Amino acid sequence: MAFNPISPPAPRRTSQEEATESAPVCVLSFNSSDPSGASGLSADISTISSVGGHALPITCGTYVRDTARIHEHFSLDDEAVTEQARIVLEDITVTAIKVGFAGSPANLAAIAAISSDYPHIPIISYMPDLSWWEDDKQDQYLDAFKELVLPQTSVLVGNHNTLWRWLLPDWEQSRSPTARDIAMAAEVLEVPYVLVTGIPLPDQFVDNVLTTAQTVLGNSKYELFDTTFTGAGDTLSAAITALLATGNDLGVATLEALEYLDHSLDAGFRPGMGHYLPDRLFWAQPTEDEESEAEPEEGEEDDEIDDEPEMKPIEGFVIPSHDTKH
């Protein structure tokens, strides 16, 4: 009679191994520093952290800006961008990459060269509005992005008007291009998925459509806010990147990222004299009920106020469910 061998006891896991298994996923972001905190790396770091990732910010340059407008941009040289990224990638396992504003064609070439060495990592590219930039610099940058970065991009994110003017400059039809029209132009440049935001709808609504050249995969409609925001696009694209990195499918990641952005805008604030900014840590702010509970009731004795408060565990942020139909 044969007996199955007795299995040796499983080795005990160290606290370091357990911590590694529960650690947040790491998301690399190529973007520019923004001293106003509105967009760029500021938006990426806070957003990626908020949705459960660990941000690895690669600085491509810096804006000179306030909350109202961009005054100037200074790019780092491509060698500095390359060294930052390669050192991190050789040390840390990265599960997704976001490409924001890199500042120069040379930096885009550096990003493309780095990304080609890591073809298994999905790239989410965000194209911001560059109308503040000189026309010749803008044209050179957009052409380089088309040639170098888009062929490696998994998902392209951008405002309807921005993507239209960039990818369909010769559009002559009386109607505006649809999200699928833009996706068909992107497919020629080897981009499989496009998220087109801010598509105008009647009654002060906008549509956000995730699509391929062949079919619309989903959409989410939101009412326009009465105020002007800066940093929404970087927030949305960083959220999608982090949610994909945590293992969500693209449709789920997109809808949850849009819901996260909507909450961030709803809680938006105005730190200066310019535009409003998304509050990407809206979930950490006390609710009205929590604030009222924190206020002592009238006539409450001092010794009751000074009692040591009951300690409760801090709960992590969970993206709320939604009822969006698509």
Side-chain angles (χ1 to χ4, degrees):
M1 181 180 295
F3 291 90
N4 292 326
I6 298 175
S7 301
R12 294 179 59 185
R13 294 190 302 166
T14 66
S15 58
Q16 289 87 352
E17 289 173 334
E18 292 176 351
T20 298
E21 289 182 5
S22 62
V25 295
C26 295
V27 180
L28 193 77
S29 172
F30 293 98
N31 215 333
S32 292
S33 174
D34 180 352
S36 76
S39 62
L41 289 173
S42 299
D44 291 346
I45 293 168
S46 56
T47 299
I48 290 167
S49 301
S50 291
V51 299
H54 173 63
L56 306 172
I58 307 301
T59 306
C60 297
T62 184
Y63 293 105
V64 178
R65 70 161 304 157
D66 51 30
T67 57
R69 67 186 183 93
I70 298 169
H71 298 265
E72 183 60 87
H73 182 275
F74 298 106
S75 298
L76 288 179
D77 64 55
D78 56 311
E79 183 178 353
V81 173
T82 298
E83 287 301 308
Q84 289 179 80
R86 289 207 179 276
I87 291 297
V88 169
L89 285 162
E90 290 170 4
D91 176 50
I92 300 172
T93 300
V94 171
T95 49
I97 295 173
K98 172 187 167 175
V99 178
F101 183 56
S104 70
N107 285 347
L108 293 175
I111 292 169
I114 294 164
S115 302
S116 66
D117 291 338
Y118 298 87
H120 60 287
I121 303 178
I123 295 175
I124 289 71
S125 294
Y126 167 59
M127 180 52 66
D129 176 16
L130 300 178
S131 59
W132 56 271
W133 216 6
E134 295 96 326
D135 288 344
D136 59 335
K137 291 183 178 180
Q138 185 180 159
D139 291 342
Q140 292 171 20
Y141 184 86
L142 292 174
D143 288 345
F145 210 107
K146 277 185 182 179
E147 180 182 350
L148 300 169
V149 178
L150 285 188
Q152 300 188 54
T153 294
S154 303
V155 186
L156 173 63
V157 181
N159 179 269
H160 177 256
N161 190 60
T162 299
L163 296 183
W164 167 8
R165 306 302 177 189
W166 177 32
L167 299 179
L168 294 169
D170 300 322
W171 184 264
E172 296 179 350
Q173 297 188 38
S174 57
R175 65 172 178 84
S176 300
T178 65
R180 272 195 64 204
D181 291 326
I182 293 172
M184 285 188 277
E187 186 184 53
V188 174
L189 301 165
E190 302 181 53
V191 180
Y193 300 100
V194 181
L195 174 60
V196 184
T197 67
I199 302 172
L201 294 175
D203 301 322
Q204 293 298 301
F205 280 84
V206 293
D207 204 5
N208 306 284
V209 178
L210 176 67
T211 184
T212 67
Q214 289 73 38
T215 185
V216 171
L217 303 176
N219 73 294
S220 186
K221 181 177 72 172
Y222 290 92
E223 188 173 3
L224 280 172
F225 287 88
D226 293 331
T227 55
T228 301
F229 283 90
T230 295
D234 269 317
T235 303
L236 176 61
S237 52
I240 291 174
T241 307
L243 288 164
L244 286 173
T246 57
N248 289 283
D249 113 325
L250 177 56
V252 172
T254 300
L255 290 175
E256 291 191 346
L258 286 165
E259 190 75 8
Y260 169 81
L261 174 62
D262 189 55
H263 283 289
S264 299
L265 297 180
D266 191 47
F269 63 103
R270 191 184 184 207
M273 296 181 289
H275 300 155
Y276 278 74
L277 276 57
D279 183 356
R280 303 169 186 105
L281 299 178
F282 65 87
W283 51 267
Q285 303 301 330
T287 64
E288 292 182 3
D289 291 340
E290 291 170 337
E291 288 176 345
S292 62
E293 290 175 3
E295 296 176 358
E297 295 182 4
E298 186 176 352
E300 192 172 6
E301 298 297 328
D302 289 345
D303 57 348
E304 293 177 352
I305 298 174
D306 293 338
D307 285 346
E308 184 177 350
E310 180 184 356
M311 299 300 293
K312 296 182 178 179
I314 298 174
E315 296 181 357
F317 168 67
V318 177
I319 297 175
S321 59
H322 50 76
D323 297 321
T324 304
K325 305 294 183 183
H326 63 94

